[in-house]
């Protein structure tokens, strides 16, 4: 009889825990569901944010790397890409030194550090040295501060004829007439 009483007491102690066990089972199901959702999200993140092995191998071929590890850092040096960047910067710097500027209706051609520029506007084509106009073409005229003609200077036109100024080998200057064409 004592055994039956003891079993009844134990059963009464467990009957109060049935609701707790049911609640605990529900919590376990919810946690399992959350774990499943989270693992799917992690898998999706991994798929979206990481690259495949073949893509990684392609990238590794593109970069020559040097990895150094010590107690304070892990360092990766990308020598191939930095060399390419340095080359591109040098090329672009040279391009920037030679320029074409658009200032309203004016176009300026030049090179940084060079005294000579050319400017073309609606009225003239001008050549400048240190900012001073040394020659220009405008209104059917060429105006030039100093001229050096190496071979021959011709004055005239096709309908009236030409005067040709031609230097001789002895240093003298000849003027020859060429008739109309």
């Amino acid at each position: 009889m004592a055994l039956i009483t003891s079993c009844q007491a134990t059963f009464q102690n467990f009957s109060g825990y049935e609701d707790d066990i049911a609640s605990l089972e529900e919590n376990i199901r919810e946690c399992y569901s959350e774990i499943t959702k989270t693992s799917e999200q992690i898998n999706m993140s991994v798929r979206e944010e990481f690259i495949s092995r073949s893509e990684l191998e392609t990238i590794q071929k593109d970069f020559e790397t040097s990895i150094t590890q010590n107690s304070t850092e892990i360092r990766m040096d990308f020598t191939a890409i930095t060399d390419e960047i340095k080359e591109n910067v040098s090329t672009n710097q040279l391009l920037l030194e030679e320029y074409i500027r658009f200032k309203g209706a004016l176009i300026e051609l030049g090179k940084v550090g060079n005294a000579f520029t050319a400017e073309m506007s609606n009225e003239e084509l001008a050549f400048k040295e240190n900012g001073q106009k040394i020659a220009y073409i405008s209104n059917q005229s060429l105006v030039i501060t100093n001229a050096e003609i190496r071979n021959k200077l011709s004055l005239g036109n096709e309908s009236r004829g030409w005067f040709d100024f031609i230097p001789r080998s002895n240093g003298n200057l000849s003027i020859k007439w060429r008739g109309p064409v």
Side-chain angles (χ1 to χ4, degrees):
M1 183 83 150
L3 184 57
I4 293 176
T5 308
S6 172
C7 284
Q8 286 177 342
T10 303
F11 183 71
Q12 286 174 349
N13 288 341
F14 281 115
S15 67
Y17 293 113
E18 287 177 1
D19 293 336
D20 292 339
I21 290 172
S23 174
L24 185 59
E25 286 175 348
E26 180 62 30
N27 283 344
I28 289 171
R29 277 192 292 275
E30 288 176 10
C31 286
Y32 181 76
S33 174
E34 287 298 317
I35 288 170
T36 303
K37 280 195 262 181
T38 303
S39 70
E40 288 172 5
Q41 289 171 348
I42 289 171
N43 285 339
M44 186 161 303
S45 292
V46 168
R47 275 187 239 115
E48 290 175 359
E49 296 177 13
F50 294 93
I51 59 175
S52 70
R53 182 176 300 271
S54 63
E55 291 172 323
L56 179 61
E57 288 170 357
T58 302
I59 290 172
Q60 285 176 334
K61 289 177 186 173
D62 291 342
F63 293 102
E64 292 177 16
T65 61
S66 170
I67 300 174
T68 309
Q69 179 181 356
N70 60 33
S71 62
T72 59
E73 70 178 353
I74 295 176
R75 177 179 168 167
M76 296 179 77
D77 295 320
F78 300 99
T79 53
I81 198 68
T82 54
D83 290 344
E84 182 180 331
I85 289 170
K86 287 176 186 174
E87 183 179 324
N88 288 343
V89 168
S90 297
T91 302
N92 289 335
Q93 183 177 2
L94 291 174
L95 290 174
L96 290 174
E97 289 176 355
E98 296 173 352
Y99 62 86
I100 300 173
R101 289 191 185 127
F102 297 91
K103 300 176 184 176
L106 178 78
I107 300 172
E108 179 183 27
L109 305 169
K111 182 175 180 176
V112 172
N114 193 325
F116 295 95
T117 59
E119 292 182 352
M120 186 168 60
S121 69
N122 291 335
E123 300 165 0
E124 69 182 10
L125 172 59
F127 301 92
K128 293 184 173 184
E129 182 178 5
N130 294 318
Q132 299 294 317
K133 193 182 303 183
I134 57 172
Y136 64 92
I137 301 170
S138 179
N139 297 320
Q140 299 182 7
S141 294
L142 168 64
V143 178
I144 187 165
T145 305
N146 295 306
E148 186 175 306
I149 300 171
R150 303 287 168 114
N151 189 26
K152 144 176 114 167
L153 173 64
S154 298
L155 302 174
N157 62 39
E158 291 177 359
S159 62
R160 292 187 323 216
W162 301 90
F163 285 103
D164 292 331
F165 294 81
I166 303 170
R168 292 182 180 175
S169 59
N170 65 2
N172 293 334
L173 180 65
S174 293
I175 301 175
K176 288 187 172 183
W177 170 253
R178 254 187 309 140
V181 178

